[in-house]
């Protein structure tokens, strides 16, 4: 199984508290996800911030007429520094997403580090080359643009797939 990596950094001119409050609330995921994924949270305790052990169940459309359930667990939280979500059920053979936050001069530097694998062996690797790679870049680029507009951030480079 081939392991892939995606890394993205973004500066936002907001306080660490404001960044943590926004990103640690699962309710905000829909707002930063492209509408063509029809991303819907199916069940989660939405009236509180994330916590270790929290299970979040989503439904997404990966292709026209192809819906997938995706279940992640918040496996680690260090308030105002980072949290990690790991896929428990979903479209990937492996998914580990780290969300890091660091106060810097004038705002917050956010860093996403995603480590993932595609199922189906060599066929999955081909699917990654022709579809998943570009799709993940689109999703993270969309997120970057939405966050820049919402928080009036600087334009920063797009996601890097390693």
């Amino acid at each position: 199984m081939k392991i892939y990596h995606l890394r993205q950094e973004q500066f936002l001119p907001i306080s660490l508290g404001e960044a943590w409050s926004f990103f640690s609330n699962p309710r905000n995921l829909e707002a930063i996800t492209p509408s063509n994924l029809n991303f819907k949270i199916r069940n989660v305790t939405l009236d509180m911030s994330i916590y270790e052990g929290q299970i979040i169940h989503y439904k997404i459309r990966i292709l026209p007429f192809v819906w997938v359930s995706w279940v992640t667990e918040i496996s680690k939280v260090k308030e105002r520094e980072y949290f990690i979500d790991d896929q428990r059920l979903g479209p990937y053979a492996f998914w580990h997403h780290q969300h890091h936050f660091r106060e810097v001069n004038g705002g917050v530097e956010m860093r996403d580090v995603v480590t993932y694998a595609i199922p189906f062996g060599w066929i999955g690797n081909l699917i990654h080359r022709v579809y998943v790679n570009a799709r993940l870049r689109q999703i993270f680029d969309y997120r970057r643009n939405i966050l820049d507009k919402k928080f009036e951030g600087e334009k920063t480079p797009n996601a890097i797939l390693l």
Side-chain angles (χ1 to χ4, degrees):
M1 172 171 31
K2 182 161 174 61
I3 303 293
Y4 300 96
H5 305 277
L6 178 141
R7 180 184 172 113
Q8 177 170 275
E9 293 180 2
Q10 183 170 10
F11 170 81
L12 294 174
I14 59 177
S15 70
L16 182 58
E18 188 178 357
W20 184 261
S21 178
F22 181 83
F23 291 99
S24 66
N25 183 341
R27 202 182 320 237
N28 292 322
L29 285 170
E30 288 182 32
I32 62 173
T33 302
S35 60
N36 60 5
L37 283 176
N38 283 45
F39 178 93
K40 300 290 181 218
I41 296 177
R42 305 307 274 177
N43 69 350
V44 68
T45 307
L46 291 176
D47 58 345
M48 60 194 321
S49 287
I50 58 170
Y51 57 88
E52 287 183 21
Q54 183 178 30
I55 301 294
I56 305 171
H57 179 199
Y58 322 93
K59 196 136 194 154
I60 61 170
R61 185 174 63 195
I62 58 173
L63 293 168
F65 309 109
V66 179
W67 291 85
V68 175
S69 286
W70 195 353
V71 178
T72 59
E73 178 181 0
I74 304 300
S75 59
K76 188 78 172 160
V77 176
K78 186 166 185 186
E79 191 165 336
R80 298 170 72 113
E81 287 188 36
Y82 68 89
F83 64 92
I84 298 171
D85 63 87
D86 291 309
Q87 176 186 282
R88 295 296 177 237
L89 174 71
Y92 294 90
F94 177 78
W95 178 271
H96 177 82
H97 185 178
Q98 302 174 36
H99 310 255
H100 296 269
F101 305 88
R102 184 170 67 100
E103 194 166 30
V104 296
N105 188 25
V108 172
E109 177 188 84
M110 299 181 339
R111 185 177 70 232
D112 287 288
V113 180
V114 182
T115 305
Y116 64 99
I118 308 296
F120 312 121
W122 68 269
I123 294 172
N125 292 338
L126 179 63
I127 292 168
H128 183 266
R129 260 193 311 272
V130 299
Y131 179 73
V132 175
N133 182 353
R135 190 67 177 134
L136 277 176
R137 283 179 192 257
Q138 276 181 333
I139 291 166
F140 275 83
D141 290 348
Y142 176 88
R143 175 183 175 186
R144 169 184 302 288
N145 292 332
I146 289 294
L147 293 171
D148 280 342
K149 288 176 188 167
K150 178 174 181 52
F151 297 113
E152 298 180 19
E154 298 176 359
K155 298 300 179 217
T156 50
N158 292 336
I160 300 169
L161 283 165
L162 305 171

